[in-house]
């Protein structure tokens, strides 16, 4: 009996493995990808272009657009678009409509554009700091999807949204984590709504990968220094300068050890676009698949205990602040005493001379 069950299990596993590798041809299909200046979007655009797919690659900077155009075929169309500006999104939509053949639509919409930032404690950051991240990573995705959705519905296509593994175990990623948790919820709701139109929605959840967004100074060090400079004296005393330095060191190490195999992410996006039976979610990287996702199923008190004790998260250095204050006070007292000694010596010399 056990042998029969084992054989059935193996047979089912093989069947799923085979079905997972049944794909549709990308040739002749039209896909729009946002955020193609660098990183995942850039690599995905080049890969789909090589496979014969017609790509609309949106870029934010003229330099990013020029670089991408120089190394791709005429099947790839670069479009300038800023997801922060509604007018820019509408102009991009009109340009895509003009270039699409009569009666066709978008087989795929890949919402990849995003920014990092705001690591650390929430009270270090202002409303404007959070607004920028949410407008790019969440509201920008929603608006781009709403504008281009008619073209995706037209051919019963697919929407792929870039989330992050940090959404499964948010800790120190600040506004970035909030925006990616929002992407998860938005994508789940959108998937249910679009089921009636036979249009599917898929979520990519990558771990830490080495992209332009992971450049340490630009993404982490500069914002942390800016946060420290505008803190009140009370906040600085509560956290300590060492807390800022430890965050910089932590994310410096993460930047150095981030996975360089970005093809793992683009392969997952391609599977979501062209697999006959695509997944709803794509956790990319062992840390996400075997730690973050299973950890999210634990009761909150267990998850919190594990994060408190095993996840590196710099803590406030209030004791250090007290020691530093005591040292400064002692130095001040010593300075006063030295000044009094000098005055006494001067008085004694004046008395002797008299």
């Amino acid at each position: 009996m056990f042998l029969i069950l084992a054989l059935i299990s193996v047979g089912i596993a093989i069947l799923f493995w085979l079905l997972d590798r049944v794909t549709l041809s990308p040739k002749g299909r039209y896909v729009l990808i946002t955020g193609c200046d660098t990183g995942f979007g850039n690599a995905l655009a080049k890969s789909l272009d090589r496979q014969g797919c017609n790509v609309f690659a949106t870029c934010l900077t003229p330099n990013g657009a020029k670089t991408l155009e120089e190394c791709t075929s005429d099947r790839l169309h670069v479009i300038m678009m800023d997801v922060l500006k509604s007018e820019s999104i509408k102009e991009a939509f009109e340009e895509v409509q003009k270039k699409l053949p009569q009666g066709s639509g978008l087989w795929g919409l890949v919402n990849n554009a995003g920014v990092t930032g705001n690591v650390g404690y929430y009270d270090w950051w202002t409303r404007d700091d959070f607004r920028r991240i949410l407008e790019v990573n969440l509201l920008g995705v929603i608006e781009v999807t709403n504008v281009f959705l008619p073209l995706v519905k037209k051919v019963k296509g697919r929407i792929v949204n870039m989330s992050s593994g940090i959404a499964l175990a948010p800790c120190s990623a600040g506004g970035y984590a909030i925006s990616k948790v929002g992407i998860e919820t938005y994508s789940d709701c959108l998937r249910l709504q679009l089921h009636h139109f036979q249009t599917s929605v898929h979520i990519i959840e990558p771990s830490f990968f080495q992209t332009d967004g992971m450049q340490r100074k630009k993404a982490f060090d500069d914002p942390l220094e800016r946060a420290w400079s505008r803190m009140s004296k009370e906040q600085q005393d509560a956290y300590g300068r060492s807390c800022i330095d430890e965050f910089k060191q932590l994310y410096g190490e993460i930047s150095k050890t981030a996975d360089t195999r970005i093809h793992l992410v683009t392969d997952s996006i391609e599977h979501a676009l062209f697999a006959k039976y695509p997944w709803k979610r794509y956790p990319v990287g062992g840390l996400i698949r075997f730690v973050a996702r299973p950890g999210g199923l634990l009761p909150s008190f267990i998850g919190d205990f594990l994060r408190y004790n095993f996840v590196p998260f710099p803590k406030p250095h209030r004791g250090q602040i007290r020691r530093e204050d005591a040292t400064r006070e002692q130095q001040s007292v010593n300075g006063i005493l030295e000044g009094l000694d000098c005055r006494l010596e001067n008085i004694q010399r004046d008395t002797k001379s008299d």
Side-chain angles (χ1 to χ4, degrees), residues 26-227:
K27 290 184 177 180
R29 298 180 189 270
Y30 289 84
V31 174
L32 184 139
I33 310 166
T34 66
C36 294
D37 296 81
T38 59
F40 300 136
N42 186 276
L44 178 65
K46 293 175 183 176
S47 176
L48 295 186
D49 176 58
R50 288 193 296 269
Q51 297 176 58
C53 185
N54 297 290
V55 179
F56 295 107
T58 75
C59 291
L60 179 62
T61 65
N63 184 56
K66 180 182 177 183
T67 304
L68 185 58
E69 283 181 323
E70 289 175 348
C71 61
T72 52
S73 73
D74 56 3
R75 286 186 299 272
L76 186 142
H77 308 281
V78 175
I79 298 174
M80 302 302 295
M81 186 177 80
D82 184 350
V83 298
L84 287 172
K85 299 177 180 178
S86 299
E87 191 61 36
S88 178
I89 296 172
K90 291 176 183 177
E91 290 174 359
F93 173 77
E94 292 171 0
E95 189 170 347
V96 168
Q97 268 194 318
K98 291 177 183 177
K99 293 182 182 296
L100 281 172
Q102 188 70 28
S104 64
L106 287 175
W107 172 255
L109 168 61
V110 181
N111 284 305
N112 167 73
V115 294
T116 58
N118 292 18
V119 300
Y121 290 85
Y122 283 131
D123 60 333
W124 294 357
W125 308 105
T126 66
R127 184 188 188 99
D128 288 338
D129 292 325
F130 285 106
R131 180 185 291 115
R132 179 176 180 273
I133 292 178
L134 293 174
E135 284 187 347
V136 174
N137 292 1
L138 179 58
L139 300 181
V141 170
I142 294 173
E143 184 169 10
V144 168
T145 301
N146 285 345
V147 170
F148 286 93
L149 190 55
L151 297 179
V152 182
K153 285 181 181 177
K154 195 172 186 178
V155 293
K156 300 175 182 177
R158 301 177 181 182
I159 297 171
V160 182
N161 290 332
M162 183 66 71
S163 179
S164 170
I166 203 71
L168 307 178
C171 188
S172 65
Y176 182 78
I178 296 172
S179 69
K180 294 306 181 181
V181 171
I183 285 292
E184 295 272 333
T185 303
Y186 167 67
S187 300
D188 285 338
C189 294
L190 185 65
R191 183 174 62 251
L192 295 175
Q193 294 176 7
L194 294 183
H195 173 74
H196 304 291
F197 300 93
Q198 299 179 15
T199 298
S200 60
V201 180
H202 312 272
I203 307 171
I204 310 296
E205 301 166 334
S207 181
F208 296 105
F209 284 83
Q210 191 62 260
T211 64
D212 185 61
M214 286 293 289
Q215 289 182 1
R216 175 180 172 179
K217 189 175 189 310
K218 177 182 176 183
F220 308 117
D221 289 7
D222 289 348
L224 284 168
E225 287 296 339
R226 187 168 62 251

Side-chain angles (χ1 to χ4, degrees), residues 281-308:
R281 277 180 165 79
Y282 290 82
V284 188
L287 182 65
I288 304 304
R289 183 171 294 182
F290 302 114
V291 178
R293 179 157 287 286
L297 302 176
L298 295 172
S300 294
F301 74 94
I302 297 178
D304 287 351
F305 173 80
L306 294 175
R307 290 191 187 105
Y308 291 149

